[in-house]
Amino acid sequence: MAGIDLAIHPSWLVIAFLVTYSLAEAQFPLQFPGWTTALYWIVAAATAVLFFGSVLAHELSHALVARRFGLKVEGITLFIFGGATSIDQDSRTPREEALIALAGPATSILIGVALLGVDLLIAQPQVAALVGWLGVINLVLGAFNLIPGFPMDGGRVLRALLWKLRGDRLEATRNAALVGRILAYVLIGFGVFIALNGSPLSGIWLALIGWFLSNAAETTVAQAGVERSLHGMRVRDAMDVDPPSVSPNESVADLVQERMLRGEDRSFLVRHDDGVLAGMVTLGDVRRLARETWPEARVTDIMTRFADLATIGPDAPLTDALRLIQERDIGQLPVIGEDVRLPLGLVTRRGILRLIEARLKLGV
Ligand SMILES: [Zn+2]
């Protein structure tokens, strides 16, 4: 699809193999006895490929409806428990949210019904085996995703309904996620029960799905809280306008003695005498250097150079800065304005987290 990245998590290969294996060695031989082993495996492999296509169709339909509403869709990832479509922006109305969520299960159910219809008309056993299994699995996929707990599609529909009824998106997210966690624990309990009563593999599988769902529900609530508390804030509202700086020619020994061991600063902008940004140096850069070499080494030898630095503009949303910091796993971002070589300030992970904490405590 133009503009939508598709990523396949390695765990999908495990799923593909498990599906092929169980179809070739158990399901098809039981249902359709008398084929050769090779034929079972060929039909099973073809079915697995089309199963992959089914999950993809489900995710694509979420993506296309989101796009229809003008939301930016980043990509689709297929991973061990199915797929995920990452939509860059939140939907603006409960109706959009509900329609995007419903598109996936609706597509799966439509495909399922259509395939089962085709299955009734087909006598050729290999095609019937493939179409029949895919029909059932698409119905299961559609139905399972309608479970009304966040982050399942049904949970998103529930969130949209609560949002519509009460008008508060964050509260709706919390409630839908709570239902999601309760259902996840039920799934884990059920999985453990099945595992102890004769089907260890299916049981463990269900429990794993439950565990994954409860984690996803928790993460969503935490993110929604953070995003609410930073809502409307820009990088310039949180940046340090007079961040500590050092000269590229300063020795590492001086940097440690006179700066790092004195104050609480751990990261420094490296600037030439005219203020131009040369790079950034942190405690981590110093630690990578053998202690004996500190007196001779200069800051310019160990710093991250300007060209390799992640930076952000002063008017970017603060949530973007936090996302970039988390993605790159760094502690801070230089804030760069029109003149790219003259930094306006520094926004740090610690600073943003402190701000979130204060705002959450004050309830603003
Ligand atoms: Zn879905």
Side-chain angles (χ1 to χ4, degrees):
M1 232 21 241
I4 300 176
D5 295 333
L6 175 65
I8 299 170
H9 193 268
S11 58
W12 239 89
L13 296 176
V14 179
I15 297 294
F17 176 75
L18 284 178
V19 168
T20 312
Y21 178 84
S22 62
L23 287 176
E25 294 292 321
Q27 178 83 18
F28 289 162
L30 268 176
Q31 234 182 325
F32 304 90
W35 303 356
T36 62
T37 308
L39 192 53
Y40 284 127
W41 275 89
I42 291 168
V43 178
T47 310
V49 169
L50 291 171
F51 170 55
F52 171 90
S54 305
V55 176
L56 190 59
H58 175 112
E59 296 303 328
L60 261 180
S61 61
H62 287 306
L64 292 180
V65 175
R67 230 191 209 186
R68 243 297 141 86
F69 290 128
L71 300 179
K72 213 173 116 207
V73 177
E74 239 176 25
I76 292 174
T77 308
L78 295 183
F79 67 121
I80 195 158
F81 297 114
T85 302
S86 69
I87 299 169
D88 224 18
Q89 292 156 288
D90 284 327
S91 16
R92 284 157 305 211
T93 64
R95 186 173 159 271
E96 279 182 14
E97 168 98 8
L99 289 176
I100 294 170
L102 283 172
T107 302
S108 297
I109 289 170
L110 271 178
I111 295 177
V113 170
L115 286 177
L116 289 180
V118 170
D119 187 39
L120 291 176
L121 306 171
I122 284 181
Q124 209 283 337
Q126 281 80 35
V127 179
L130 178 147
V131 169
W133 187 84
L134 281 174
V136 172
I137 210 71
N138 272 284
L139 288 183
V140 170
L141 202 64
F144 184 71
N145 271 288
L146 284 175
I147 291 175
F150 209 82
M152 307 297 288
D153 295 331
R156 290 176 195 277
V157 176
L158 176 65
R159 169 166 84 172
L161 274 175
L162 295 172
W163 180 11
K164 169 112 189 138
L165 288 174
R166 309 245 191 86
D168 186 336
R169 190 173 194 278
L170 179 63
E171 208 43 48
T173 305
R174 285 202 182 118
N175 290 329
L178 180 65
V179 177
R181 281 173 71 183
I182 292 169
L183 291 172
Y185 292 139
V186 170
L187 209 59
I188 293 174
F190 186 57
V192 170
F193 176 79
I194 291 185
L196 296 177
N197 286 276
S199 314
L201 260 185
S202 324
I204 290 170
W205 191 243
L206 279 181
L208 266 179
I209 294 179
W211 175 77
F212 164 76
L213 289 178
S214 88
N215 274 342
E218 242 165 274
T219 311
T220 313
V221 173
Q223 257 168 12
V226 164
E227 261 161 42
R228 152 72 60 96
S229 83
L230 293 183
H231 183 76
M233 296 199 69
R234 310 256 149 213
V235 167
R236 65 165 77 252
D237 304 325
M239 71 183 181
D240 177 358
V241 291
D242 188 22
S245 313
V246 292
S247 149
N249 293 317
E250 189 164 325
S251 81
V252 173
D254 284 351
L255 172 69
V256 172
Q257 282 302 328
E258 282 162 32
R259 313 247 188 184
M260 288 181 171
L261 292 178
R262 288 206 177 172
E264 59 167 28
D265 296 318
R266 298 162 145 247
S267 50
F268 300 82
L269 294 180
V270 183
R271 305 172 80 161
H272 296 292
D273 293 339
D274 53 4
V276 163
L277 188 62
M280 185 110 220
V281 68
T282 66
L283 195 71
D285 298 326
V286 174
R287 281 180 49 195
R288 273 192 288 277
L289 195 68
R291 206 181 176 127
E292 315 82 75
T293 60
W294 286 1
E296 297 99 73
R298 291 176 314 145
V299 166
T300 185
D301 303 327
I302 63 167
M303 69 182 185
T304 305
R305 289 175 190 284
F306 178 78
D308 301 324
L309 278 179
T311 61
I312 195 154
D315 293 316
L318 199 50
T319 45
D320 283 7
L322 186 60
R323 203 170 297 151
L324 191 57
I325 282 173
Q326 279 165 343
E327 270 170 22
R328 296 277 194 110
D329 194 22
I330 48 182
Q332 61 286 311
L333 284 170
V335 183
I336 303 291
E338 307 253 292
D339 187 348
V340 290
R341 303 305 306 252
L342 291 175
L344 301 172
L346 189 70
V347 61
T348 63
R349 180 196 288 258
R350 242 205 288 176
I352 299 176
L353 294 181
R354 261 194 233 141
L355 190 72
I356 293 171
E357 200 193 334
R359 292 176 73 91
L360 287 177
K361 275 186 183 156
L362 294 169
V364 291

